[in-house]
Amino acid sequence: MELTYKLLTPGPLTTTRSVKEQMLFDHCTWDDDYKRITQDIRAHLLRLAHVAPERYTAVLMQGSGTFGNESVLTSVVGDDERVLVCANGAYGDRLAEICRQAGVPVTVYAEPYDTPVDAQRIAAHLAADPSITHVAMVHNETTSGLVNDIEAAGAVAKRAGAAFIVDAMSSFGGIDIPVEDWGIDFIVSSANKCIQGVPGFSFAICRRDLLEGSRGKARSLSLDLYAQWQTMERDGGKWRFTSPTNAVLAFAQALRELEEEGGVSARAARYAENNRLLIERMRALGFEPYLTENQGPIITTFAHPADAAFTFREMYDYVKARGYVIYPGKLTDGDTFRIGTIGEIYPADILNVTSILGEFVATKRKEA
């Protein structure tokens, strides 16, 4: 018997049937109709970012969000430049790891996983080290669920003349981000997050002049952001190498459904209500959120009760068998787990999953 369930994760996430159905059609990568779909997606992403096509462009890149981040970091930071990576979670740490692995000059400014990045500390690093030419950070750090203040960080970077790179993997499309107004030069996300597509590609929204200036800096053939952009521009939406056609078709449908829902503001409101209700119900069951402030609407980390007579695996299996999948923790300093509130998930799902968790806890208490 096939088990079906909904994903309460930060992505991949639960998608609509209509998004899934788009993947039933096999498209040719060279076909003009398919290239037009790519071009429509690129234009739509610019509108979501509140940027003008004269100043910004969108580049799609094969692979997961990490591929997109690696493409940007290894393509736009030159050998004689340096990036300040601001990290307060595993995904900020990954940005730094990408740089080290590829030989990108990097300085790391780190905060504890429950502490937001401080714009004034960024300013201090920039003032102390004139060799820093770029600043990179995560917007919604899904290690904990914390949302960093990228608007304040962008203002600091701009005052210092540094380019600003944002990993908005788990926030773009679910939190409104006026990219240019917030001083962002490169923002990266992926198809299988808040826009509610399926895995297969990432994308970067880039300031045109800085992308143009990155020519020749890339440290990778397949992840060369400038070369990918030039091919898409020159050949009317053609990808340089084989693209994930089925995922692209699904993403085009997901963008249409985002607009039908009412745009980013409406989706953000749904996610926020999911998150509010989740925290309220989980607290009533004895599960406290890891964060006391700066909690975002995308995913919430909960502390596993120290006196609990059950393991995460037992809880996970119980919930999964009843129609939902939750997420293990990613913190190194505590026993935690995570529950996402994005995707095709509604308050009724939150009521359902917390009722299931309540049944599980009650059963374990009786057994203890």
Side-chain angles (χ1 to χ4, degrees):
M1 179 178 175
E2 183 181 359
L3 178 65
T4 61
Y5 45 75
K6 290 187 175 183
L7 302 178
L8 296 175
T9 67
L13 37 68
T14 294
T15 57
T16 62
R17 177 175 291 275
S18 46
V19 164
K20 295 178 179 72
E21 287 173 347
Q22 293 296 310
M23 294 188 289
L24 296 173
F25 186 79
D26 296 316
H27 231 309
C28 171
T29 59
W30 284 87
D31 185 79
D32 286 342
D33 290 341
Y34 177 71
K35 290 193 289 184
R36 277 193 291 271
I37 292 169
T38 296
Q39 295 293 68
D40 288 345
I41 287 172
R42 295 176 67 206
H44 201 145
L45 290 172
L46 296 184
R47 293 195 295 273
L48 291 180
H50 307 287
V51 294
E54 297 78 22
R55 288 186 48 77
Y56 282 78
T57 187
V59 187
L60 313 185
M61 181 62 66
Q62 296 91 331
S64 70
T66 298
F67 285 64
N69 280 329
E70 184 159 345
S71 174
V72 171
L73 287 166
T74 62
S75 294
V76 307
V77 185
D79 292 335
D80 57 347
E81 298 175 310
R82 176 171 291 272
V83 59
L84 174 68
V85 169
C86 311
N88 58 343
Y91 298 97
D93 294 342
R94 187 178 295 177
L95 296 179
E97 184 181 1
I98 287 169
C99 293
R100 295 189 190 101
Q101 181 72 23
V104 176
V106 61
T107 297
V108 178
Y109 149 46
E111 292 283 6
Y113 284 11
D114 63 350
T115 303
V117 169
D118 184 341
Q120 294 313 306
R121 292 197 64 185
I122 296 174
H125 277 280
L126 292 169
D129 187 354
S131 72
I132 295 173
T133 53
H134 297 70
V135 175
M137 64 185 290
V138 176
H139 184 205
N140 181 201
E141 179 51 86
T142 54
T143 304
S144 63
L146 183 150
V147 174
N148 284 307
D149 188 349
I150 55 173
E151 181 180 8
V156 164
K158 284 289 140 306
R159 283 197 294 271
F164 189 33
I165 302 167
V166 173
D167 169 345
M169 215 57 61
S170 296
S171 59
F172 189 85
I175 298 175
D176 198 31
I177 305 172
V179 168
E180 185 165 22
D181 288 350
W182 287 5
I184 301 168
D185 300 303
F186 299 89
I187 190 166
V188 190
S189 190
S190 69
N192 57 290
K193 301 289 186 175
C194 293
I195 294 174
Q196 298 184 187
V198 301
F201 70 94
S202 54
F203 56 86
I205 296 167
C206 317
R207 218 176 86 186
R208 281 181 174 269
D209 59 336
L210 295 184
L211 183 55
E212 183 68 51
S214 72
R215 180 177 183 178
K217 294 180 181 179
R219 296 163 174 82
S220 164
L221 173 67
S222 59
L223 297 179
D224 187 332
L225 188 68
Y226 175 86
Q228 182 90 326
W229 174 52
Q230 285 296 289
T231 302
M232 287 185 170
E233 293 281 288
R234 182 183 62 246
D235 295 339
K238 176 73 174 64
W239 301 53
R240 290 166 67 221
F241 307 120
T242 302
S243 62
T245 53
N246 303 88
V248 171
L249 297 176
F251 190 72
Q253 176 64 20
L255 284 170
R256 288 190 286 271
E257 293 182 9
L258 172 61
E259 296 307 324
E260 290 167 3
E261 185 173 351
V264 174
S265 61
R267 184 156 292 176
R270 172 163 62 88
Y271 289 171
E273 177 57 17
N274 287 346
N275 184 257
R276 183 201 66 77
L277 186 60
L278 175 69
I279 292 174
E280 176 186 288
R281 299 270 293 186
M282 292 295 284
R283 276 195 165 125
L285 295 175
F287 297 101
E288 284 296 320
Y290 171 74
L291 295 174
T292 57
E293 55 185 359
N294 304 110
Q295 172 66 58
I298 307 303
I299 192 167
T300 304
T301 296
F302 292 97
H304 193 91
D307 60 349
F310 54 84
T311 65
F312 171 77
R313 172 52 66 176
E314 290 175 306
M315 182 169 64
Y316 175 91
D317 289 343
Y318 187 94
V319 173
K320 179 181 175 182
R322 288 155 181 81
Y324 293 92
V325 167
I326 59 177
Y327 222 49
K330 206 173 178 69
L331 301 175
T332 56
D333 60 350
D335 191 4
T336 61
F337 62 96
R338 295 175 288 171
I339 300 180
T341 41
I342 63 175
E344 191 63 6
I345 299 296
Y346 293 84
D349 294 298
I350 304 303
L351 293 175
N352 286 341
V353 75
T354 51
S355 294
I356 292 166
L357 283 164
E359 294 166 3
F360 171 77
V361 170
T363 299
K364 286 301 178 180
R365 283 174 181 163
K366 287 179 182 177
E367 293 175 356

